Amino acid sequence: MRRTEFEIKDDEREEIERFLAEMSFGFLGTAGTDGAPSMTPLNFVYDGGKLYFHGSRIGEKMARLQADPRVTFMVAKEYAIIPSYFTDPLMACPATAYFKSVRIDGRAAVVQDPGEKAAALEAFMRKLQPEGGYKTIDASDPDYVPRLKGVAVVRIDPDRVTGKFKFGQNLKEPVREAVTDRLTARGLPLDAETVALMERYCPHAKGTLGG
């Protein structure tokens, strides 16, 4: 990572975990037998330090994982586009975007244990349907046994987890203030949250994550 001020450090791991708990969609990177890369968009849940996804037991994605279990998984959320004229009336160079992103490098394994399968799928339901309205997924429930057998659940065991949260940590205070003022005035749906995150990650504020 070229800009270390945007990197989330090991002692800030809870920041990454909170972000992964918030997000439900990411991109799985795999390699084929010929080395050609492939990206697959899919839903996920991060639970107990492991990332899980589910799908068909057969297909291109599963064939790639069987050929080479090494994977990369990416999750990102864009909060705000920062126009160049927020800080410079002439040059295009200051134009940028503020975002959070997490990258997980690891190895994928097809989950065989019915109990782990059920627990992963139950974690999915708690995340995507927190209001309930369904019977708890239990590996011993006769209604779920055939369904658990028919679906593939894949676990990614991380070797490396890195985060990049970019919210103007590299800016000097007058420039940062100009950006926050313009975001406040613009008032797009995520602008207020972006301002709050800029203040949170400000490297000049004692005790913040960027300090």
Side-chain angles (χ1 to χ4, degrees), residues 4-170:
T4 58
E5 64 266 38
F6 303 139
E7 184 177 3
I8 298 299
K9 311 288 193 304
D10 286 342
D11 60 351
E12 299 159 355
R13 188 64 55 186
E14 67 276 7
E15 287 292 307
I16 288 177
E17 293 184 354
R18 278 197 291 267
F19 179 59
L20 292 175
E22 171 193 346
M23 304 299 289
S24 62
F25 196 81
F27 294 85
L28 174 71
T30 57
T33 55
D34 61 353
S38 178
M39 295 293 292
T40 304
L42 44 78
N43 290 113
F44 75 95
V45 65
Y46 188 78
D47 188 57
K50 312 289 185 181
L51 188 142
Y52 293 90
F53 62 89
H54 64 89
S56 173
R57 295 170 59 191
I58 59 175
E60 180 184 356
K61 176 174 74 264
M62 298 304 291
R64 284 176 169 269
L65 294 177
Q66 290 173 1
D68 189 340
R70 295 174 299 173
V71 297
T72 292
F73 195 87
M74 293 289 301
V75 183
K77 178 179 179 179
E78 184 178 79
Y79 285 79
I81 297 294
I82 308 300
S84 61
Y85 53 77
F86 271 20
T87 56
D88 193 307
L90 180 63
M91 301 298 291
C93 306
T96 189
Y98 289 170
F99 63 89
K100 292 182 181 181
S101 68
V102 170
R103 170 175 171 167
I104 298 175
D105 298 304
R107 302 179 76 87
V110 178
V111 176
Q112 303 295 344
D113 178 67
E116 185 179 1
K117 259 190 175 185
L121 293 172
E122 177 65 20
F124 263 104
M125 292 302 294
R126 289 196 305 269
K127 182 174 186 176
L128 300 178
Q129 193 173 309
E131 71 275 16
Y134 67 94
K135 183 166 64 168
T136 300
I137 302 174
D138 188 329
S140 63
D141 187 329
D143 290 336
Y144 280 120
V145 168
R147 290 168 171 79
L148 288 171
K149 289 181 179 178
V151 67
V153 174
V154 179
R155 182 187 67 244
I156 296 178
D157 298 310
D159 295 322
R160 181 170 178 260
V161 180
T162 56
K164 181 177 180 180
F165 293 6
K166 180 180 178 182
F167 291 96
Q169 296 96 317
N170 59 317

